[in-house]
């Protein structure tokens, strides 16, 4: 696990979504990649001592794109509230994740894995597909 994990994960997810032809473009893609970046960054920075590897999972169904980032560290992170007038700029990644997910109408949860680690799962709604146009005669 290394800082280079973040751009590699972003590239892999962007490529996968593109190959699947999912309607994940514009602000939705930007939000998805931002959430992915924050979750992978958190795993690299905070779980690396106990977890040499992280897992990224992504799935699509009819109405949602789901993203999960898993590591072997047992600590379940809590979104830290920003303290007014405090110069500390770290510790706000999960607040950003929650804000992006809420704005998109999605959901975010953290759960334990069977191996004692955790996975942070995010689900974002996909826009409806345009109605199909009947073939010309």
């Amino acid at each position: 696990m290394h800082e280079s994990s973040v751009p590699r994960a972003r590239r892999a997810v962007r490529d996968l979504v593109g190959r699947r032809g999912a309607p994940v473009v514009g602000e939705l893609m930007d939000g998805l990649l931002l959430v992915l970046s924050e979750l992978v960054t958190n795993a690299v920075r905070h779980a690396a001592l106990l977890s040499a590897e992280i897992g990224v999972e992504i799935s699509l169904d009819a109405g949602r794109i789901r993203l999960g980032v898993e590591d072997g560290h047992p600590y379940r992170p809590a979104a830290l509230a920003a303290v007014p007038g405090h110069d500390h700029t770290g510790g706000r990644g999960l607040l950003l994740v929650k804000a992006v997910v809420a704005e998109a109408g999605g959901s975010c949860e953290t759960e334990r894995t069977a191996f004692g680690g955790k996975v942070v799962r995010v689900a974002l709604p996909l826009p409806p597909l345009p109605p199909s146009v009947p073939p010309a005669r």
Side-chain angles (χ1 to χ4, degrees):
M1 204 171 11
H2 190 267
E3 293 285 331
S4 65
S5 301
V6 176
R8 284 196 333 245
R10 288 174 59 95
R11 200 169 26 259
V13 166
R14 187 184 304 114
D15 291 350
L16 177 65
V17 169
R19 283 193 312 269
R20 295 286 308 268
V24 182
V25 295
E27 286 184 19
L28 181 57
M29 178 62 84
D30 293 343
L32 177 68
L33 293 176
L34 177 61
V35 166
L36 173 67
S37 294
E38 290 297 329
L39 295 178
V40 171
T41 296
N42 281 352
V44 168
R45 286 187 181 158
H46 303 294
L49 291 175
L50 295 177
S51 180
E53 295 181 358
I54 60 171
V56 175
E57 57 190 53
I58 189 156
S59 64
L60 297 160
D61 61 33
R64 296 206 174 277
I65 185 163
R66 299 175 196 280
L67 171 71
V69 176
E70 180 179 342
D71 64 59
H73 196 291
Y75 174 69
R76 294 178 63 154
L80 302 175
V83 179
H86 195 272
D87 290 335
H88 182 68
T89 57
R92 296 188 185 141
L94 285 178
L95 282 177
L96 184 58
V97 166
K98 286 186 172 196
V100 168
V101 169
E103 185 175 310
S107 62
C108 181
E109 61 186 28
T110 303
E111 55 189 61
R112 291 203 185 283
T113 65
F115 302 105
K118 68 182 165 307
V119 61
V120 180
R121 297 188 195 280
V122 170
L124 300 172
L126 293 172
L129 293 173
S132 59
V133 178
R137 293 184 180 202

